[in-house]
């Protein structure tokens, strides 16, 4: 069934496109149809071949259907096969003609030769014509009972084909039950495998409208059936093994002994040369040991070597598929792979898609002990002549710098990049230096010294330019030339095509103005004038906003534009742990390669056997699938740029004003609401004169800004500030771990748990769901009676300030030991109260 | 499960097209080809399309073999490894049947290929990829194409290169081809193929090294006798609890230490733990008996040193030395040394050693790469290339940062770096005068062989 569109563009002389050839063929076929002359089969073969080759390149040869069928009365199997292929392709479009073929196909289904029986049965089922299904039932039934296993394998798949043509006919003929019997009794493993595949498909599709089908589908996961498959796993072909292992991964064993039995039985599958078998086995191992923390870790250790061997033994395409899975595991447990980092070094001849994955893994496994070597290696790539690779490598260095405490050495390297004087290297580095400064403001002295040497003329990429301008604004007090560089950039306002850069320019010049008023005054005036005249709506609005703000109150303006900034502790680029868990559940599927759960790229009906059922998968996820979609899109958007772009920060500043604005005193500065642009300049002169007096007052008020909107007058007694939590807080395990190590314990407390709570703690999930209801998310849990251990986290509703909790519940003493760590230490007592009240309600309602 | 399978030529022509489930709309071949040809990522046009991608809910998988694109489509969330492995396997099966895998041979034999495809996949489910099993379903005879002008496929194809070609034409013989004389030649090929990756630091010290090896087998023995392959007795697998890069403990002991290995389905390991022999009944067609990976320290076959120095205004000189550190009875062939030069290089004049035969050196204008090709290098010898460069602008200071690293590709027949050996090959067949040809061949190739500057 070649695409018809190709017919027109076939240009090579061997691919005719005219109708002449087809009608020629038709005539020749007709001549041969009745002939019994010797050698006629050879001529037929040649003609058939021509027909098939036209069909392949997309020429419509359906007009010779009748002739093909007439010629098919032959005992030559090669001819028959070509005829079957042809009929299979055109029958759907020509149902009337298809009827012509039924006769000879039915006859062939009863042939002596099992090969012919099988072929005919397969072709019969491939016609895909709904009104011919009545002719299928009989041959399929006898096909299932055929003494030859080839015919039976064909018949089993034939039944699946029938189901897709007419589900009712298939069910009415009771075929699924017959398949089930065959699956349990047939001596041939390929027949069994086909039965399994067919039944999985049929019952999954039927399950939505039939109780019985969904029961049957679950029965596939019953212990006897799983053991039936497992005990003969080695008799199956490698492909069928993958199918069986996929099923086993969904099986829930009753106890640990069973888990170890299954793992011992499948141990040698890890040495299979077929990557699909190995990955399916690994999935079984990972799923089985999910609740056993220690064993789960041992599994990781065990599967490393086989995975690495697969990565290096196959074609680049195969390595990519395996490497994607290794990537998932590395991201899940970077610590377990931190000594294997050399395996993730890139080889120069690898395709870019492989290198990119490796860079991400190197970033993930970097820790105190290997960072030096990894970064040294990355710096080699950064100097590479391969530009995309160089860019990615610089980003990787930056990401490592952002996740380490001791970034000293890395900062030096980044600064060396700037000295390389390659435009794309400089551009990438500037963006990174900006992010570094947002997280580690203490490095500003070193960075600024180098950044100051970069000529803005050599920076063309909008992102890089924006980063440079941001630094000029933010550190204008330390950068000697800042006002003058900004001024020259503003002079070229007209030539600046990127609105992002123009927005940053406005903000930077504002910041600079507050720090060095006399030097910046002219530039600010020019910038505001240019901004007000800008055709871009956002640029115009921001210029107007700044202008009005300056008119309204200079002190307020400074607080808005130049608030003291808290260092960013976590950038909002992390995928939610729920999404990650979902992908992990879909191990050995496309979800891993795309790094998205299947519902994001597949229609419901095509999710395939991997998504066996929502109910069995994960209750909490299934329940609010609609909710999870939203954060994911956010994540996607943020992924494009590792960081919250600074423009977003400015937006937040804006919001801060609108919400807190009313807290400030009445305007000091009365001015007409709208002022012609030409007048701005002179207004600013007045502003400047009043400014110096305002600054100390401004900085006083700023402290309050941080205090969650407290009143300006210092609060006499620290009444606990109210705390509301973000119900959809997101934190990935890596960041959690890192924060957990990084932050000091701010509170340790012991709470008692209600007896009802202890009773409800038969499954840890109950507590997780309960706490989720109080906007406290669980990131990890484990343990066995009487001691259960949980790690929770929560985030403040309005900002990305996190609370991390380790909670050990002892069911026999009904006590919970709680350790709390917090980004904002001052809030931990409040949070603790909140946590306790949430915990005390557990099991009570 | 797979919806469609097709093979496209480099120009995007359909050579073979099979729709198994009718779930994917027509025109998928064009959608696929356009996407692969004009792949873009983050606005970077140089990026290469990954082997798996999704367009409008359809997942496209592809592998490149012998310049052809083997493609599968599906709407289902399947195992990517399974599909990519399958595509690779289909290519191998087709090659087994046609003798040679090329656009030409596929076009000439497409009916046979359809026959194969019908049996390999039914309604999207894989039935078998065993060349052996498929034999009973295949009735077309292959039409031979001239092998000599075609790029051969598969790792064993490297035996075809160079002047010292192995006897026999096994690599391009179809498994079902009729011998002219009517009798089959009894022979079996066992190839130990190693790809080595080495990265030298600028001071010549080895930063990383790895050997990825395969024992490849192709049997033309009648009656499928059982075969025993004996490997080195001192062969250890896995490095216990030690770090993979802990070299000290293993060096000099003479034992071959593999990090890990995996085996073909047909291999039985009953006595492997005892005497390091593999037992198998080889199926027809070419297949890997064992894949292995080694990071144990080994002696790299070549030492490469490169130097670039400014020599006056807008000029520089490059010296590349390649020293072959293997026995003089062995000769490496088809050696290519590449080195990226500063972007502003306009001209290069080369000076080969006096008496150098079969060597060429060239500056690739577009990529600004120096390329030095040597037909062969005899063990123990040293070759030097000097080049004088002219620049269009001043360098930014550190000229070594603007060039390199030096990379190298080569093939060394009858050489293996790991020391893994096939000690003997026993064919269990009773007759006393049965003595088939046994070819045990070694070859080492460069995978990523890089010297930094």
């Amino acid at each position: 069934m070649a695409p018809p569109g190709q017919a027109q563009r076939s240009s090579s002389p061997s691919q005719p496109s005219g109708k002449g050839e087809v009608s020629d063929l038709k005539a020749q076929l007709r001549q041969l149809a009745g002939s019994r002359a010797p050698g006629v089969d050879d001529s037929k073969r040649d003609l058939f071949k021509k027909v098939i080759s036209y069909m392949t390149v997309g020429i419509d040869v359906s007009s010779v259907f009748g002739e093909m069928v007439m010629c098919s009365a032959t005992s030559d199997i090669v001819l028959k096969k070509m005829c079957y292929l042809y009929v299979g392709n055109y029958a759907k479009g020509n149902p009337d003609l298809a009827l012509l073929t039924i006769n000879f196909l039915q006859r062939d289904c009863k042939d002596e030769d099992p090969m012919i029986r099988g072929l005919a049965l397969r072709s019969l089922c491939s016609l895909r014509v709904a009104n011919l299904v009545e002719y299928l039932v009989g041959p399929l039934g006898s096909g299932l009972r055929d003494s030859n296993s080839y015919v039976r394998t064909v018949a089993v798949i034939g039944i699946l084909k029938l189901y897709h043509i007419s589900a009712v006919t298939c069910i009415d003929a009771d075929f699924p039950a017959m398949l089930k019997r065959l699956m349990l009794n047939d001596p041939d493993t390929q027949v069994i495998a086909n039965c399994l595949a067919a039944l999985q498909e049929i019952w999954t599709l039927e399950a939505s409208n039939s109780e019985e089908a969904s029961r049957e589908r679950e029965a596939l996961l019953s212990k006897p059936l799983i053991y039936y498959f497992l005990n003969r796993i080695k008799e199956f072909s490698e492909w069928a093994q993958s199918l069986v292992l996929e099923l086993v991964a969904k099986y829930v064993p009753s106890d640990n002994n069973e888990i170890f039995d299954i793992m011992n039985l499948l141990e040698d599958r890890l040495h299979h040369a077929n990557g699909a078998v190995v990955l399916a086995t690994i999935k079984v191992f990972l799923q089985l040991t999910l609740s056993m923390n220690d064993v789960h870790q041992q599994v990781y250790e065990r599967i490393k070597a086989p995975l690495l061997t697969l990565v290096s033994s196959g074609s680049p395409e195969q390595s990519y598929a395996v490497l994607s899975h290794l990537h998932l595991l590395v991201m899940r447990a970077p610590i377990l792979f931190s000594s294997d980092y050399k395996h993730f070094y890139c080889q120069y001849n690898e395709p870019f898609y492989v290198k990119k994955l490796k860079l991400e893994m190197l970033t993930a496994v970097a820790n105190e002990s290997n960072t030096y070597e990894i970064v040294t290696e990355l710096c080699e790539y950064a100097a590479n002549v391969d530009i995309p690779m160089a860019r990615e490598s610089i980003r990787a260095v930056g990401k490592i710098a952002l996740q380490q405490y001791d970034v000293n050495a890395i900062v030096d390297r980044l600064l060396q990049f700037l000295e390389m004087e390659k435009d794309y290297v400089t551009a990438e580095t500037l963006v990174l230096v900006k992010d570094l400064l947002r997280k580690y403001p203490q490095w500003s002295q070193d960075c600024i010294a180098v950044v100051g040497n970069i000529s803005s003329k050599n920076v063309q990429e909008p992102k890089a330019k924006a980063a440079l301008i941001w630094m000029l604004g933010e550190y204008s007090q330390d950068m000697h030339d800042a006002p003058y560089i900004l001024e020259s950039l503003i002079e070229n306002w007209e030539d600046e095509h990127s609105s992002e850069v123009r927005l940053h320019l406005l903000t930077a010049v504002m910041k600079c103005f507050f720090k060095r008023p006399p030097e910046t005054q002219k530039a600010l005036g020019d910038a505001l004038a240019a901004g007000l005249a800008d055709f871009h709506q956002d640029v115009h609005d921001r210029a107007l906003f700044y202008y009005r703000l300056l008119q309204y109150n200079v002190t307020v303006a400074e607080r808005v534009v130049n608030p003291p900034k808290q260092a960013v502790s976590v950038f909002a680029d992390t995928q939610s742990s729920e999404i990650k868990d979902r992908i992990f559940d879909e191990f050995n599927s496309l979800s891993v390669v795309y790094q998205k759960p299947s519902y994001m790229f597949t229609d419901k009906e095509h999710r395939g056997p991997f998504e066996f059922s929502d109910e069995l998968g994960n209750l909490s996820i299934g329940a609010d699938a609609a909710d999870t979609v939203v954060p994911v899109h956010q994540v996607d958007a943020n992924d494009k740029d590792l960081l919250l772009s600074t423009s977003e920060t400015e937006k937040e500043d804006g919001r801060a004003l609108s919400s807190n604005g009313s807290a400030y005193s009445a305007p000091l500065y009365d001015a007409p609401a709208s002022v012609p642009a030409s007048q701005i300049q002179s207004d600013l002169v007045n502003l400047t004169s009043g400014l110096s007096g305002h600054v100390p007052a401004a900085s006083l008020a700023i402290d309050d800004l941080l205090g969650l909107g407290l009143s300006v007058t210092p609060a006499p007694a620290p009444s606990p500030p109210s705390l509301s939590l973000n119900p959809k807080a997101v934190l990935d395990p890596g960041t959690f771990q890192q924060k957990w190590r990084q932050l000091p314990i701010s509170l340790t407390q012991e709470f008692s748990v209600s007896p009802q709570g202890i009773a409800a703690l038969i499954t840890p999930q109950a507590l997780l769901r309960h706490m989720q209801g109080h906007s406290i998310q669980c990131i990890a849990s484990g343990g066995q009676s009487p001691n259960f251990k949980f790690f929770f986290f929560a985030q403040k509703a309005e900002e990305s300030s996190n609370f991390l909790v380790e909670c050990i519940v002892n069911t026999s003493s009904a006590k919970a030991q709680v350790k709390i760590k917090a980004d904002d230490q001052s809030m931990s007592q409040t949070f603790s109260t909140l946590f306790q009240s949430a915990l005390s309600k557990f099991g009570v309602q | 499960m797979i919806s469609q399978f097709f093979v496209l030529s480099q120009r995007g022509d359909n050579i073979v097209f099979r729709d198994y489930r009718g779930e994917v709309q027509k025109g998928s071949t064009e959608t696929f080809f356009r996407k692969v040809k004009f792949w873009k990522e983050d606005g970077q046009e140089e990026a290469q399309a990954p082997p798996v991608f999704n367009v409008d809910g359809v997942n496209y998988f592809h592998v490149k073999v012998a310049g052809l694109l083997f493609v599968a489509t599906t709407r289902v969330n399947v195992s990517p490894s399974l599909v990519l492995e399958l595509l690779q396997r289909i290519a191998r099966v087709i090659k087994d049947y046609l003798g040679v895998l090329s656009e030409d041979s596929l076009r000439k034999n497409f009916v046979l290929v359809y026959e194969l495809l019908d049996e390999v996949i039914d309604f999207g489910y894989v039935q078998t990829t065993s060349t052996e099993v498929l034999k009973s379903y295949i009735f077309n005879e292959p039409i031979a194409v001239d092998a000599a002008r075609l790029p051969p496929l598969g790792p064993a194809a490297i035996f075809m290169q160079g002047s010292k070609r192995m006897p026999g034409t096994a690599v391009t013989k179809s498994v079902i081809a009729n011998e002219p004389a009517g009798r089959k030649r009894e022979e079996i090929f066992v190839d130990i193929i190693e790809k080595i990756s080495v990265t030298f630091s600028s001071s010549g010290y080895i930063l990383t090294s790895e050997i990825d090896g395969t024992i490849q087998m192709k049997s033309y023995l009648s009656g499928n006798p059982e075969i025993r392959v004996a490997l080195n007795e001192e062969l250890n697998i896995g490095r216990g609890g030690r770090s993979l890069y802990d070299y000290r403990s293993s060096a000099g002991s003479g034992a071959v230490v593999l990090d890990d290995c995996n085996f073909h389905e047909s291999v039985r390991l009953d006595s492997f733990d005892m005497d390091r022999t593999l037992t198998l009944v080889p199926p027809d067609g070419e297949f890997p008996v064992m894949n292995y990976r080694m990071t144990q320290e080994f002696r790299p076959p070549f030492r490469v040193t490169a130097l670039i120095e400014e020599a006056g205004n807008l000029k520089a000189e490059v010296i590349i030395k390649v020293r072959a550190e293997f026995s003089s009875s062995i000769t490496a062939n088809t050696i290519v040394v590449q080195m990226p030069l500063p972007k502003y290089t306009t001209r290069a004049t080369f000076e080969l050693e006096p008496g150098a035969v079969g060597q060429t050196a060239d500056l690739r204008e577009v990529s600004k790469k120096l390329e030095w090709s040597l037909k062969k290098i005899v063990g123990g010898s040293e070759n030097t290339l000097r080049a004088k460069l002219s620049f269009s602008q001043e360098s930014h200071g550190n000229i070594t940062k603007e060039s390199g690293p030096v990379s190298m590709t080569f093939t060394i027949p009858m050489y293996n770096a790991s020391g893994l050996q096939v000690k003997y090959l026993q064919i269990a067949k009773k007759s006393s005068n049965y003595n088939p040809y046994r070819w045990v061949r070694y070859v080492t190739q460069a995978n990523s062989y890089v010297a930094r500057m």
Side-chain angles (χ1 to χ4, degrees), chain A residues 1-6 9 15 49 52-53 56-57 77-78 81-82 85 115 119 122 128 150 153-154 157 160-161 164 190 194 197 201 236-239 241-242 271-276 279 305-306 308-310 312-313 315 317-318 320-322 325 340 342-343 345 347-349 351-353 356 377 380-381 383 385 388 391-392 395 420-422 586 588-591 593-594 598 601-603 606-610, chain B residues 1 12-23 26-27 29-30 41-42 44 46-54 57 59 61-64 75-82 84-86 88-89 107 110-111 114-115 118-119 122-123 125-127 129 136-140 143 197 207-208 210 212 244-245 259-265 291-293 295 340 343 396 401-402 404 407-409 447-450 452:
Chain A
M1 223 184 278
Q6 295 231 316
R9 61 187 193 91
Q15 297 182 356
K49 266 188 197 171
I52 304 282
S53 82
T56 300
V57 297
I77 198 159
V78 174
K81 281 186 149 190
M82 284 196 268
L85 181 66
M115 186 70 53
L119 287 173
R122 184 190 293 150
R128 294 182 203 164
Y150 176 68
T153 54
V154 170
I157 294 291
L160 184 57
K161 291 175 187 164
H164 281 273
Q190 192 54 45
N194 282 359
E201 224 185 300
F236 286 92
S237 78
E238 49 198 313
W239 312 105
Q241 285 183 19
S242 305
H271 281 297
H272 204 287
N274 186 332
L279 283 175
L308 289 168
T309 306
L310 285 176
S312 53
S313 61
S315 64
E317 293 92 355
Q318 288 160 296
Y320 174 69
V322 178
H325 286 84
D340 305 297
K342 280 198 181 181
H343 290 293
Y345 282 2
Q347 299 185 337
Y348 85 102
N349 54 347
F352 183 62
Y353 52 78
K356 212 174 155 186
E377 181 75 10
E380 287 288 342
Y381 309 153
V385 284
R391 282 180 186 272
E392 285 293 335
R395 284 178 208 162
M420 280 164 62
E421 295 193 31
K422 289 186 187 173
E586 294 175 339
N588 194 21
S589 80
L590 287 167
S591 313
V593 173
Y594 297 152
S598 58
F601 63 88
T602 323
D603 328 323
H606 291 302
R607 282 188 207 154
F610 299 99
Chain B
M1 70 205 95
D13 297 335
N14 264 11
I15 302 176
V16 180
F17 181 93
R18 188 79 176 85
D19 192 327
Y20 290 106
R21 289 181 69 103
E23 293 168 335
K26 295 179 177 185
T29 55
E30 282 168 14
E41 205 172 359
D42 306 339
Q44 291 168 5
E46 289 153 81
Q48 216 176 325
V52 189
F53 54 82
N54 182 304
N59 303 298
F61 299 79
H62 75 280
V63 301
K64 277 186 204 151
R75 285 184 174 276
V76 180
N77 188 18
V78 294
S79 157
S81 264
L82 186 131
L84 292 168
E85 188 86 40
L86 174 67
Q88 207 78 41
R89 213 65 77 76
R107 283 192 190 279
F110 67 94
V111 181
Y114 277 126
E115 244 189 316
D118 272 350
E119 302 301 337
D122 196 3
F123 205 55
Y125 290 102
V126 189
Q127 301 298 301
T129 49
S136 49
Y137 307 126
I138 302 305
F139 295 91
N140 277 287
I143 300 161
S197 299
L207 288 171
T208 57
E210 177 166 322
D212 299 317
L244 293 181
Y245 284 92
D259 289 35
D260 186 52
C261 56
N262 62 35
F263 302 95
H264 187 261
E265 279 212 298
N291 295 309
Y292 58 92
R293 184 165 56 82
T295 50
K343 286 277 173 262
H396 294 315
K401 285 231 162 107
E402 310 265 325
S407 62
M408 190 173 174
T409 57
N447 187 20
S448 167
Y449 207 85
V450 175
R452 291 181 174 158

Side-chain angles (χ1 to χ4, degrees), chain A residues 539-819:
Chain A
V539 177
H540 170 84
D541 287 359
R542 187 175 290 184
L544 191 62
F545 168 69
Y546 283 155
Y547 175 64
R548 296 247 166 93
L549 196 58
L550 288 168
Q551 278 185 323
Y552 169 70
N553 183 332
V554 183
T555 322
V556 173
E558 186 179 18
R559 271 193 304 216
V560 169
V561 176
N562 257 356
K565 288 190 176 54
Q566 248 188 328
V568 181
S569 60
V570 183
F571 288 101
D573 66 323
T574 39
Q575 218 167 20
S576 86
S577 58
E578 203 165 75
I579 297 278
K580 285 181 178 170
D581 286 348
R582 191 77 193 243
I583 297 172
F584 182 73
D585 284 342
E586 294 175 339
F587 194 85
N588 194 21
S589 80
L590 287 167
S591 313
V592 178
V593 173
Y594 297 152
Q595 300 181 17
K596 287 177 195 167
S598 58
Y599 67 80
M600 293 175 69
F601 63 88
T602 323
D603 328 323
K604 182 100 180 111
E605 75 227 71
H606 291 302
R607 282 188 207 154
F610 299 99
E611 216 206 41
F612 202 62
S613 74
D614 281 333
E615 313 85 89
L616 286 176
N618 189 326
L619 280 169
S620 69
I621 290 170
D624 49 27
D627 293 343
T628 40
V629 181
V630 182
V632 171
H633 286 301
Q634 265 171 359
V635 167
D636 265 6
N638 286 332
D639 269 349
K640 290 193 188 95
D641 176 357
L642 162 69
L643 322 134
L644 279 170
S645 78
T646 39
S647 60
E648 267 171 66
T649 323
E650 308 307 342
K651 270 184 232 148
E652 273 165 34
D653 294 347
R655 234 185 289 133
L657 173 85
S658 60
S659 57
N660 294 325
S662 55
Y664 298 109
S665 53
L668 298 169
Y669 186 79
D670 269 303
S674 76
V675 182
S678 58
Q679 231 182 289
I680 297 172
Q681 193 80 60
S682 55
D683 289 348
L684 284 171
V685 181
N686 304 333
L687 269 176
T688 331
S689 53
L691 185 67
S692 53
H694 286 293
V695 173
S699 61
L700 259 178
I702 285 158
D703 295 329
D704 300 324
L705 229 177
L706 287 174
L708 286 176
L710 287 178
S711 60
V712 178
T713 49
S719 67
S722 69
L723 172 67
S724 63
L725 296 175
N726 176 5
K728 294 208 182 92
V730 165
L731 193 69
D732 71 304
T735 319
F736 185 94
Q737 270 177 10
Q738 196 191 326
K739 278 182 163 296
W740 188 256
R741 270 180 310 181
Q742 202 172 352
L743 294 166
I745 294 176
S746 53
L747 261 181
T748 309
Q749 269 172 323
E750 197 171 77
F751 306 136
S752 47
V753 183
S754 67
Q756 297 99 315
I758 296 296
L761 203 70
I762 315 159
T763 60
Q765 276 70 28
L767 180 61
L768 308 193
R769 272 195 292 275
H770 170 79
M771 295 307 274
Q772 215 167 22
H774 293 266
S775 305
I776 297 169
Q777 322 287 332
C778 178
I779 199 152
S781 65
Q784 271 176 343
S785 186
N787 280 308
F788 291 96
K789 193 169 182 177
F790 302 88
F791 284 99
F792 294 99
F793 70 94
Q795 273 166 6
K796 265 196 219 174
E798 291 301 325
E799 41 190 314
S800 66
S801 174
N802 298 292
F803 299 98
L804 315 182
V805 186
E806 183 198 82
C807 173
I808 300 167
V809 182
N810 184 306
T811 47
S812 56
S813 68
K815 290 270 190 263
Q817 270 199 345
V818 175
K819 284 182 193 151

Side-chain angles (χ1 to χ4, degrees), chain A residues 81-358:
Chain A
K81 281 186 149 190
M82 284 196 268
C83 187
Y84 293 154
L85 181 66
Y86 174 87
V87 168
N89 256 345
Y90 287 111
K92 199 179 181 188
N94 307 272
D96 301 340
L97 289 168
L99 193 60
L100 294 174
T101 64
I102 291 285
N103 239 333
F104 83 85
L105 285 174
Q106 276 190 323
R107 199 180 53 233
D108 283 354
C109 283
K110 292 178 186 137
D111 199 281
E112 278 177 14
D113 184 350
M115 186 70 53
I116 306 255
R117 291 203 298 274
L119 287 173
L121 189 58
R122 184 190 293 150
S123 305
L124 196 59
C125 298
S126 303
L127 295 180
R128 294 182 203 164
V129 179
N131 52 3
L132 296 182
V133 287
E134 53 187 298
Y135 299 101
L136 298 185
V137 178
L140 276 174
S142 33
L144 289 180
R145 290 186 298 274
D146 202 289
S147 60
N148 185 285
S149 61
Y150 176 68
V151 182
R152 293 199 302 279
T153 54
V154 170
V156 172
I157 294 291
I159 283 165
L160 184 57
K161 291 175 187 164
L162 170 66
Y163 177 82
H164 281 273
I165 306 165
S166 165
V168 181
T169 317
C170 181
I171 304 290
D172 286 352
D174 209 20
F175 279 138
M178 288 162 80
L179 287 185
K180 193 177 172 186
R181 268 200 300 283
L182 205 59
M183 179 169 76
L184 297 173
N185 298 304
D186 204 279
D188 186 281
T189 48
Q190 192 54 45
V191 176
I192 297 175
N194 282 359
C195 286
L196 176 60
L199 284 175
Q200 276 190 323
E201 224 185 300
I202 292 174
W203 281 334
T204 304
L205 289 169
E206 280 294 299
S208 52
N209 42 31
S210 150
E211 279 277 314
E212 196 202 332
S214 83
R215 260 201 314 281
E216 288 286 8
R217 187 180 61 168
E218 270 156 46
L220 285 177
L221 291 173
S222 66
K223 186 168 174 175
L225 206 60
I226 293 290
Y227 279 58
Y228 168 72
F229 285 124
L230 279 177
N231 284 330
R232 46 198 310 195
I233 185 109
K234 281 170 206 169
E235 298 163 37
F236 286 92
S237 78
E238 49 198 313
W239 312 105
Q241 285 183 19
S242 305
L243 188 76
V244 168
L245 290 168
E246 218 28 83
L247 183 77
V248 175
K250 285 180 223 122
Y251 172 64
V252 184
S254 53
D255 58 38
N256 287 359
N257 288 338
E258 217 183 323
I259 293 177
F260 291 119
D261 286 347
I262 294 176
M263 287 182 25
N264 284 328
L265 185 75
L266 295 178
E267 170 75 16
D268 64 345
R269 296 296 89 192
L270 292 174
H271 281 297
H272 204 287
N274 186 332
V277 174
V278 178
L279 283 175
T281 310
I282 290 176
K283 181 173 185 178
V284 173
F285 281 29
L286 291 174
Q287 291 292 337
L288 287 181
T289 57
L290 261 183
S291 57
M292 302 192 277
N293 227 334
D294 292 355
V295 189
H296 197 64
Q297 299 228 342
Q298 282 169 24
V299 169
Y300 275 83
E301 289 293 338
R302 178 66 192 84
I303 61 185
K304 262 187 213 171
L307 279 173
L308 289 168
T309 306
L310 285 176
V311 169
S312 53
S313 61
S315 64
E317 293 92 355
Q318 288 160 296
S319 320
Y320 174 69
V322 178
L323 212 54
S324 303
H325 286 84
L326 197 58
H327 177 262
L328 175 79
L329 297 176
V330 167
M331 292 302 171
R332 250 184 112 75
I335 299 158
L336 292 182
F337 291 89
S338 57
S339 58
D340 305 297
Y341 63 93
K342 280 198 181 181
H343 290 293
F344 310 139
Y345 282 2
C346 298
Q347 299 185 337
Y348 85 102
N349 54 347
E350 282 169 336
F352 183 62
Y353 52 78
V354 167
K355 288 181 180 167
K356 212 174 155 186
L357 275 181
K358 286 192 165 178

